[in-house]
Amino acid sequence: MEPATDIASRGPLGPRRRPVVALVLTGGGARSAYQVGVLRALAEILPRARNPFQIIVGTSAGAVAASVLAAEAHVWREGVAGLLRVWSNFRTGQVFHVDAPHVVRSGLHWVLSLISGGLILSPPKSLLETGPLKALLAREIDCNGIRRSIARGHLRACALCATSYATGQSVAFFDGVPEVSEWTRAQHMGRRSELSQETIRASIAIPLLFTPVKLGDEYFGDGSMRQLNPLSPAVHLGADRLLILGVRSPHSSGVDAARPATMPSPGEVLGFMLDTLFTDQIYGDLEHIDRMNQLVRAAPQARGLRAIETLMIAPSVDPSEIAARHAADIPAGLRALLRVLGGRPEVPGHQLTSYLAFEAPYTRALIELGYQDAMRSRTTLRAFVAGERLQSAPDAPGMTQLT
């Protein structure tokens, strides 16, 4: 078996039916280009058959890829090709306005609102204006295709996760086969819904940066907020195996411990918050699943419990380092915004840039990293998705296994 890169595998399945495999796409802003690279590799190494993932769950930027793959489940390789085309040719201006007039107008709005105490102008709804992203999603994603994929048997369920500002709950909006039921747990719930452009935009509405989206009578924001159990929706939808595509190495805390202790800038704080928002809960939930698997093995007669196998692949190189190497490609408007926030793109290992730099040279580098990481682990990935038994995690440098 060839070596893998930053993959965690847990929990043997007992002898039973072919497992239901779910694809879980985490949030990560521009870092999600790494997931597209992994998907590109999967499209090459998996047998050329029907969609290999019966369940697809996406959160934040992962909700975009999840929607594309679900809508084109009958030709999922074409869905991967479409994602590859968009992410390989990205420009920040396709996500939010970074030209000088918009940046100046936004800055003046904030200043006037602050000076007047909100009397002259009400506070802005967000730091960034995301009109271009709305147009891009409408052009690239046919949400009606998700329902068709389910109705024609190409997909069991698809869920997009968002957070309610009214209740504080993490909500997994899902569409699926009739036997999939809604659920309610502490701080999270599953709500059957017709998935739409608004659902996607709600899931990716990063707090403060993007405007909240109204769904029904509630406003929603990024699905990573309050998502204490990000793997739970896939399990509730019936998955036995979870293939998780992350955006940060499990061995990286997202900070540079070698740097001298200086007062962090607002941009550094925001970058740290995004890193925490998108990643930390995943590793905590993996540990929770591992403990539950140990309980199932110890008490196989326990009712209502089943073992869940997980396989996670994450970057072997910190995306912040890659973003720093492409600092010159960042448009002037975004560079100015980062400078004001103190998130200077020229600082090695800077986090905020790695989440906001939707520029082709950077996203292509992440795509290539994801592709190479996945190809090094192709035997394990192929076996896991095919439902074969994994005796143990592959032995590779830099890998993590919780048992």
Side-chain angles (χ1 to χ4, degrees):
M1 182 179 294
E2 66 273 32
T5 304
D6 289 332
I7 290 186
S9 178
R10 358 183 123 61
L13 288 167
R16 52 184 171 80
R17 59 175 173 76
R18 181 185 177 93
V20 176
V21 183
L23 177 66
V24 180
L25 296 159
T26 67
R31 289 188 180 201
S32 295
Y34 175 84
Q35 299 173 334
V36 177
V38 176
L39 290 169
R40 174 193 166 198
L42 288 172
E44 292 184 15
I45 65 179
L46 295 180
R48 300 193 65 83
R50 59 185 298 174
N51 169 35
F53 304 108
Q54 298 98 313
I55 297 169
I56 301 176
V57 177
T59 300
S60 194
V64 178
S67 301
V68 171
L69 296 177
E72 302 188 33
H74 61 298
V75 286
W76 79 278
R77 284 180 174 80
E78 292 184 18
V80 173
L83 288 170
L84 187 63
R85 170 179 52 80
V86 172
W87 280 91
S88 297
N89 298 282
F90 239 136
R91 290 290 181 268
T92 304
Q94 293 176 283
V95 180
F96 48 85
H97 290 295
V98 290
D99 56 285
H102 279 93
V103 171
V104 171
R105 188 182 307 120
S106 177
L108 288 175
H109 191 155
W110 279 97
V111 170
L112 289 175
S113 178
L114 179 64
I115 292 176
S116 68
L119 296 177
I120 296 177
L121 282 176
S122 59
K125 295 182 175 64
S126 62
L127 183 62
L128 303 173
E129 187 178 336
T130 57
L133 177 59
K134 182 178 180 180
L136 177 66
L137 296 176
R139 185 169 64 250
E140 297 291 340
I141 303 176
D142 175 18
C143 290
N144 292 327
I146 300 176
R147 173 94 297 266
R148 288 196 298 269
S149 294
I150 296 168
R152 296 173 182 176
H154 301 295
L155 190 68
R156 174 182 172 87
C158 175
L160 308 179
C161 302
T163 305
S164 170
Y165 282 111
T167 66
Q169 283 191 314
S170 174
V171 181
F173 293 97
F174 73 89
D175 195 358
V177 294
E179 56 264 32
V180 176
S181 303
E182 295 185 341
W183 68 89
T184 301
R185 298 291 186 273
Q187 294 301 317
H188 69 94
M189 64 181 299
R191 183 184 300 176
R192 183 176 286 274
S193 173
E194 182 177 336
L195 303 180
S196 64
Q197 296 286 331
E198 288 74 21
T199 316
I200 301 172
R201 290 192 292 110
S203 182
I204 63 179
I206 301 173
L208 297 181
L209 296 180
F210 293 0
T211 305
V213 176
K214 190 175 184 180
L215 298 176
D217 297 326
E218 302 174 57
Y219 281 93
F220 287 83
D222 194 286
S224 299
M225 298 187 294
R226 308 298 293 272
Q227 195 179 41
L228 302 180
N229 303 104
L231 304 180
S232 176
V235 176
H236 279 290
L237 293 172
D240 301 305
R241 284 190 171 189
L242 313 181
L243 177 60
I244 307 145
L245 308 190
V247 296
R248 191 189 80 193
S249 168
H251 309 299
S252 169
S253 62
V255 296
D256 184 0
R259 289 185 58 190
T262 57
M263 177 66 73
S265 68
E268 290 174 313
V269 172
L270 182 56
F272 186 80
M273 289 173 59
L274 292 179
D275 207 58
T276 302
L277 181 71
F278 291 133
T279 305
D280 287 357
Q281 295 94 328
I282 286 289
Y283 293 108
D285 210 13
L286 284 172
E287 291 187 7
H288 173 72
I289 287 179
D290 185 67
R291 289 193 295 270
M292 293 302 297
N293 284 343
Q294 292 183 45
L295 176 61
V296 171
R297 288 193 292 268
Q301 73 279 6
R303 297 182 60 184
L305 296 178
R306 70 182 193 276
I308 303 296
E309 283 194 317
T310 66
L311 186 68
M312 180 169 180
I313 183 165
S316 58
V317 178
D318 188 344
S320 301
E321 298 177 15
I322 299 175
R325 295 200 291 267
H326 292 278
D329 301 311
I330 298 175
L334 179 57
R335 192 179 299 118
L337 176 62
L338 291 170
R339 191 175 297 113
V340 169
L341 292 173
R344 300 180 299 277
E346 66 271 20
V347 177
H350 198 276
Q351 295 162 282
L352 184 58
T353 305
S354 70
Y355 287 104
L356 297 182
F358 290 89
E359 291 296 316
Y362 170 56
T363 58
R364 287 175 184 171
L366 286 180
I367 289 171
E368 181 62 22
L369 176 64
Y371 177 79
Q372 294 299 334
D373 283 354
M375 292 303 287
R376 282 192 289 269
S377 307
R378 57 186 176 272
T379 297
T380 302
L381 287 168
R382 186 185 300 117
F384 187 84
V385 174
E388 298 174 11
R389 182 187 296 275
L390 298 183
Q391 299 298 331
S392 62
D395 184 16
M399 234 169 38
T400 316
Q401 182 177 17
L402 302 175
T403 58

